[in-house]
Amino acid sequence: MNIAIIGAGYVGMTTSLAFGEAGHHVWVMDTDKAKITQLKKATLPFYEAGAESLLQELIEQNRLTFETELAPCMEHCDLLFMTVGTPSLPTGGADLRYVETVSKAIGQCLKSYKIVVIKSTVPVGTSEKVKKWIEIELEKRGKSIPFDIVSNPEFLREGRALDDAREPDRIVIGCQSNMAEVEMKRLYKDHLSKCLFTTARNAEMIKYASNAFLATKISFINEIARLCDPLGTDVREVARGIGLDHRIGPHFLHAGIGYGGSCFPKDVKALLHLAEKNQTELPVLQAVDQMNAIQANWFINKVKAKLGSLTGKHLALLGLTFKPETDDIREATALRLIDILLKEGAHLTAFDPKGTENVKTLYPSLTYATTPLEAVRGADAILLVTEWKDIVEMDWKTARQLISRPFLFDGRNALDPVQIRALGFDYQGVGRH
Ligand code: UDX
Ligand code: UDX
């Protein structure tokens, strides 16, 4: 099939690669000319394992065409995927300005029947808005051309996006048209048993509710971890124990310093905003959001309980991205920690395998190390922020010799306390002893 992907960001590109790999021809469109120039040279604007080599392969096989204009994509493709960003507004609501721009552009170029598939995460009711925006443009042109809108939210996890696209848990397809349903079935013919067909509004809600539920699991286990601390219980054992119950499941029960990334924080806030607009209170989700906002402070209080005032203290921050295997720092807890620690007067040396350049643009005056060992040299304490393999498996014995004082705060419960204490560290995890 010929498929257009409008918006070559993280979601757009990983989706393009997955469709290209599955044998389709993908027309990748982005208004950012510099980005398209780089993509043509097989360079991705983000890091995702295996993605750049697949991009190179698909370019060599002529499976991808790159465009900065919509018209040529619409000439060749009947399926138009919208993958532009939907960032948070100051109110917490989703900013639909890019979705609106693309919808209007589609209305201006539409010549024959198309299926517009919304993959971006959008509030309930957006499909109807997109329909209206396209219709307004058609009316301006005095045209009546049929088209359908489908909601097909993405559930890709950064760092595992290609695998998620190859082997999805489920594919949610919200549409009310038979013609669109037939085409979507053709597109996903290898995964038909995993397709859930529903209305566009339900599909939009499923996406928000999924992310909100996962965020709830994390805030819940973080709350339990807090209580494990004074009670001397181990939250990892507790999570293992409750996760064995099939009704609960073992996933997303890893306690730490809070969730980050481009989805959970934004989507929980967007759902709360949607509820407020509909005069509905969501006390559970409100608590989930608050809990996440203050988890970094809770962690720093643990550091202060050991070190006292942080003024003038040298701290090594290991890991900056919102999770390992990505260079993404959107809503990363590391940024919250940096803000608090700088306010407290600490001196920070940071290390991250992929995220340093992105953090440097926000905090040019921090000291950045090129290895974890270089970061810990002379530090009063180490804060493990993101559980990169390079960090978890670093030479901790040498680290213990390089650090001034023995304090190690593991914000991701990534290390083995017994082994690490045997090296002479004063180890503190999150809800474990
Ligand atoms: C995605 C989803 O779209 C969002 O809904 C989800 O919740 C998080 O992930 P992402 O792929 O990370 O967003 O967005 P971003 O990296 O901002 O990429 C969007 C791309 O669209 C950019 O390359 C931008 O240049 C392009 N764009 C934007 C257009 O081509 N046209 C526009 O009018 C606006
Ligand atoms: C998430 C969803 O998983 C995905 O389905 C959706 O499409 C986009 O949002 P992503 O943001 O890439 O994916 O990362 P994810 O692996 O879900 O982790 C999000 C955050 O939660 C990270 O900061 C991670 O460290 C944290 N997390 C995750 C925990 O603190 N504990 C856990 O048990 C799991």
PDB file of all heavy atoms in Angstrom, residues 185-196:
ATOM      1  N   LYS A 185      -8.207  -3.030   7.724  1.00  0.00           N
ATOM      2  CA  LYS A 185      -8.006  -4.491   7.850  1.00  0.00           C
ATOM      3  C   LYS A 185      -6.938  -4.953   6.867  1.00  0.00           C
ATOM      4  O   LYS A 185      -6.154  -5.836   7.159  1.00  0.00           O
ATOM      5  CB  LYS A 185      -9.327  -5.223   7.585  1.00  0.00           C
ATOM      6  CG  LYS A 185     -10.226  -5.250   8.808  1.00  0.00           C
ATOM      7  CD  LYS A 185     -11.451  -6.074   8.553  1.00  0.00           C
ATOM      8  CE  LYS A 185     -12.292  -6.175   9.814  1.00  0.00           C
ATOM      9  NZ  LYS A 185     -13.702  -6.452   9.532  1.00  0.00           N
ATOM     10  N   ARG A 186      -6.935  -4.328   5.667  1.00  0.00           N
ATOM     11  CA  ARG A 186      -5.925  -4.671   4.661  1.00  0.00           C
ATOM     12  C   ARG A 186      -4.540  -4.265   5.189  1.00  0.00           C
ATOM     13  O   ARG A 186      -3.587  -5.014   5.079  1.00  0.00           O
ATOM     14  CB  ARG A 186      -6.253  -3.920   3.365  1.00  0.00           C
ATOM     15  CG  ARG A 186      -5.609  -4.506   2.127  1.00  0.00           C
ATOM     16  CD  ARG A 186      -6.473  -4.197   0.902  1.00  0.00           C
ATOM     17  NE  ARG A 186      -6.311  -2.820   0.461  1.00  0.00           N
ATOM     18  CZ  ARG A 186      -5.373  -2.417  -0.408  1.00  0.00           C
ATOM     19  NH1 ARG A 186      -4.515  -3.282  -0.889  1.00  0.00           N
ATOM     20  NH2 ARG A 186      -5.313  -1.162  -0.797  1.00  0.00           N
ATOM     21  N   LEU A 187      -4.477  -3.103   5.781  1.00  0.00           N
ATOM     22  CA  LEU A 187      -3.200  -2.597   6.293  1.00  0.00           C
ATOM     23  C   LEU A 187      -2.664  -3.501   7.399  1.00  0.00           C
ATOM     24  O   LEU A 187      -1.476  -3.801   7.455  1.00  0.00           O
ATOM     25  CB  LEU A 187      -3.382  -1.158   6.818  1.00  0.00           C
ATOM     26  CG  LEU A 187      -2.173  -0.525   7.488  1.00  0.00           C
ATOM     27  CD1 LEU A 187      -1.049  -0.303   6.479  1.00  0.00           C
ATOM     28  CD2 LEU A 187      -2.537   0.807   8.140  1.00  0.00           C
ATOM     29  N   TYR A 188      -3.542  -3.906   8.301  1.00  0.00           N
ATOM     30  CA  TYR A 188      -3.107  -4.697   9.464  1.00  0.00           C
ATOM     31  C   TYR A 188      -3.428  -6.181   9.289  1.00  0.00           C
ATOM     32  O   TYR A 188      -3.733  -6.869  10.262  1.00  0.00           O
ATOM     33  CB  TYR A 188      -3.751  -4.144  10.741  1.00  0.00           C
ATOM     34  CG  TYR A 188      -3.223  -2.776  11.141  1.00  0.00           C
ATOM     35  CD1 TYR A 188      -4.062  -1.665  11.235  1.00  0.00           C
ATOM     36  CD2 TYR A 188      -1.875  -2.595  11.452  1.00  0.00           C
ATOM     37  CE1 TYR A 188      -3.575  -0.419  11.617  1.00  0.00           C
ATOM     38  CE2 TYR A 188      -1.375  -1.347  11.832  1.00  0.00           C
ATOM     39  CZ  TYR A 188      -2.229  -0.270  11.911  1.00  0.00           C
ATOM     40  OH  TYR A 188      -1.740   0.962  12.293  1.00  0.00           O
ATOM     41  N   LYS A 189      -3.385  -6.671   8.054  1.00  0.00           N
ATOM     42  CA  LYS A 189      -3.833  -8.048   7.788  1.00  0.00           C
ATOM     43  C   LYS A 189      -3.037  -9.099   8.571  1.00  0.00           C
ATOM     44  O   LYS A 189      -3.562 -10.149   8.908  1.00  0.00           O
ATOM     45  CB  LYS A 189      -3.823  -8.357   6.293  1.00  0.00           C
ATOM     46  CG  LYS A 189      -2.470  -8.337   5.621  1.00  0.00           C
ATOM     47  CD  LYS A 189      -2.624  -8.736   4.166  1.00  0.00           C
ATOM     48  CE  LYS A 189      -1.393  -8.665   3.320  1.00  0.00           C
ATOM     49  NZ  LYS A 189      -0.093  -8.516   3.898  1.00  0.00           N
ATOM     50  N   ASP A 190      -1.772  -8.782   8.902  1.00  0.00           N
ATOM     51  CA  ASP A 190      -0.973  -9.763   9.663  1.00  0.00           C
ATOM     52  C   ASP A 190      -1.296  -9.755  11.157  1.00  0.00           C
ATOM     53  O   ASP A 190      -0.765 -10.564  11.913  1.00  0.00           O
ATOM     54  CB  ASP A 190       0.533  -9.474   9.474  1.00  0.00           C
ATOM     55  CG  ASP A 190       0.957  -9.676   8.034  1.00  0.00           C
ATOM     56  OD1 ASP A 190       0.271 -10.461   7.333  1.00  0.00           O
ATOM     57  OD2 ASP A 190       1.927  -9.032   7.595  1.00  0.00           O
ATOM     58  N   HIS A 191      -2.077  -8.807  11.601  1.00  0.00           N
ATOM     59  CA  HIS A 191      -2.367  -8.693  13.041  1.00  0.00           C
ATOM     60  C   HIS A 191      -3.877  -8.635  13.301  1.00  0.00           C
ATOM     61  O   HIS A 191      -4.304  -8.055  14.302  1.00  0.00           O
ATOM     62  CB  HIS A 191      -1.729  -7.410  13.609  1.00  0.00           C
ATOM     63  CG  HIS A 191      -0.249  -7.340  13.441  1.00  0.00           C
ATOM     64  ND1 HIS A 191       0.617  -8.145  14.131  1.00  0.00           N
ATOM     65  CD2 HIS A 191       0.507  -6.548  12.659  1.00  0.00           C
ATOM     66  CE1 HIS A 191       1.857  -7.851  13.779  1.00  0.00           C
ATOM     67  NE2 HIS A 191       1.823  -6.891  12.886  1.00  0.00           N
ATOM     68  N   LEU A 192      -4.654  -9.220  12.399  1.00  0.00           N
ATOM     69  CA  LEU A 192      -6.111  -9.034  12.509  1.00  0.00           C
ATOM     70  C   LEU A 192      -6.690  -9.459  13.858  1.00  0.00           C
ATOM     71  O   LEU A 192      -7.593  -8.825  14.395  1.00  0.00           O
ATOM     72  CB  LEU A 192      -6.819  -9.800  11.393  1.00  0.00           C
ATOM     73  CG  LEU A 192      -6.996  -9.019  10.076  1.00  0.00           C
ATOM     74  CD1 LEU A 192      -7.846  -9.797   9.111  1.00  0.00           C
ATOM     75  CD2 LEU A 192      -7.576  -7.633  10.331  1.00  0.00           C
ATOM     76  N   SER A 193      -6.112 -10.553  14.426  1.00  0.00           N
ATOM     77  CA  SER A 193      -6.671 -11.040  15.688  1.00  0.00           C
ATOM     78  C   SER A 193      -6.420 -10.045  16.818  1.00  0.00           C
ATOM     79  O   SER A 193      -7.045 -10.127  17.884  1.00  0.00           O
ATOM     80  CB  SER A 193      -6.040 -12.384  16.048  1.00  0.00           C
ATOM     81  OG  SER A 193      -4.650 -12.207  16.203  1.00  0.00           O
ATOM     82  N   LYS A 194      -5.517  -9.105  16.593  1.00  0.00           N
ATOM     83  CA  LYS A 194      -5.212  -8.133  17.654  1.00  0.00           C
ATOM     84  C   LYS A 194      -5.943  -6.812  17.455  1.00  0.00           C
ATOM     85  O   LYS A 194      -5.733  -5.871  18.216  1.00  0.00           O
ATOM     86  CB  LYS A 194      -3.710  -7.885  17.698  1.00  0.00           C
ATOM     87  CG  LYS A 194      -2.940  -9.093  18.172  1.00  0.00           C
ATOM     88  CD  LYS A 194      -1.478  -8.844  18.157  1.00  0.00           C
ATOM     89  CE  LYS A 194      -0.758 -10.044  18.744  1.00  0.00           C
ATOM     90  NZ  LYS A 194       0.684  -9.957  18.499  1.00  0.00           N
ATOM     91  N   CYS A 195      -6.752  -6.729  16.403  1.00  0.00           N
ATOM     92  CA  CYS A 195      -7.431  -5.458  16.118  1.00  0.00           C
ATOM     93  C   CYS A 195      -8.724  -5.330  16.921  1.00  0.00           C
ATOM     94  O   CYS A 195      -9.529  -6.260  16.962  1.00  0.00           O
ATOM     95  CB  CYS A 195      -7.759  -5.358  14.632  1.00  0.00           C
ATOM     96  SG  CYS A 195      -6.307  -5.076  13.624  1.00  0.00           S
ATOM     97  N   LEU A 196      -8.891  -4.196  17.543  1.00  0.00           N
ATOM     98  CA  LEU A 196     -10.143  -3.893  18.226  1.00  0.00           C
ATOM     99  C   LEU A 196     -10.828  -2.769  17.449  1.00  0.00           C
ATOM    100  O   LEU A 196     -10.281  -1.667  17.352  1.00  0.00           O
ATOM    101  CB  LEU A 196      -9.862  -3.426  19.666  1.00  0.00           C
ATOM    102  CG  LEU A 196     -11.062  -2.826  20.385  1.00  0.00           C
ATOM    103  CD1 LEU A 196     -11.980  -3.922  20.896  1.00  0.00           C
ATOM    104  CD2 LEU A 196     -10.630  -1.939  21.536  1.00  0.00           C
TER     105      LEU A 196
END
